[in-house]
Amino acid sequence: MNSNRKIYADGLLEITGDFLEQLSLIEKKIGEDYLINKGLFLMMYSYFEETVREMMSEVLLVFPEKLPKKTCTITRDQLGIVAKDGHKTIIETELYSIFMKGVRVQLENLLKILLNKEYKKNISDKNAISDKTKETLQKLEEISLLCQC
């Protein structure tokens, strides 16, 4: 493992800063019209999901061994792209499969990748996420289900 690999906080802060800026713009547009507010909510959710994806990608490009899968599969067509584009193609494919599973799984993977925290039954395990975090993940999952209606 190469010890020179680094993730800089500025890169992650830039990603979250962009999200907060978009959130602020959306918040200013909220009004009385239910349909417009629902559209703004969907936009905000989309920005949120993209922010999670970008943060995971930022980390995985530097530390691909943090991919949640034990084995990665790659098609023959992707081999040519990987030769040209590096491991970014593999990471994007893996992120796509994670993001198909819903917001709770996305956020659980983000916690695992960024903080080495996991959803475990044994709360005394130092790598287990707290009960409060579990509740928050559940609420976010419920909100995301509302977006799909």
Side-chain angles (χ1 to χ4, degrees), residues 7 63 88:
I7 300 170
F63 296 100
K88 182 177 181 179

Side-chain angles (χ1 to χ4, degrees), residues 3 21 65 85 95 111 114 129-130 138:
S3 62
E21 185 178 318
E65 66 273 9
D85 228 3
L95 286 176
L111 290 172
L114 289 178
I129 59 176
S130 68
Q138 182 64 37

Side-chain angles (χ1 to χ4, degrees), residues 107-124:
L107 294 173
E108 285 176 6
N109 277 289
L110 180 65
L111 290 172
K112 173 110 174 105
I113 290 167
L114 289 178
L115 307 173
N116 200 30
K117 296 287 185 180
E118 292 185 74
Y119 197 105
K120 294 182 177 182
K121 293 192 187 278
N122 182 3
I123 196 69
S124 63

Side-chain angles (χ1 to χ4, degrees), residues 8-85:
Y8 293 97
D10 290 349
L12 296 175
L13 289 172
E14 184 178 330
I15 293 168
T16 56
D18 290 346
F19 170 71
L20 292 173
E21 185 178 318
Q22 292 300 324
L23 185 60
S24 177
L25 292 172
I26 288 171
E27 186 177 32
K28 291 175 185 173
K29 301 239 184 248
I30 294 175
E32 299 294 321
D33 189 312
Y34 172 77
L35 189 59
I36 290 173
N37 289 345
K38 189 172 182 176
L40 291 171
F41 179 79
L42 289 172
M43 284 177 59
M44 187 274 312
Y45 177 76
S46 176
Y47 286 129
F48 172 74
E49 193 171 59
E50 180 59 23
T51 300
V52 171
R53 179 189 281 276
E54 285 180 30
M55 289 181 74
M56 289 173 72
S57 182
E58 182 93 5
V59 173
L60 292 174
L61 284 170
V62 178
F63 296 100
E65 66 273 9
K66 286 185 163 269
L67 275 170
K69 286 183 153 187
K70 299 286 185 232
T71 60
C72 296
T73 57
I74 178 168
T75 67
R76 287 180 186 208
D77 292 338
Q78 290 172 324
L79 281 174
I81 297 169
V82 170
K84 178 183 154 217
D85 228 3

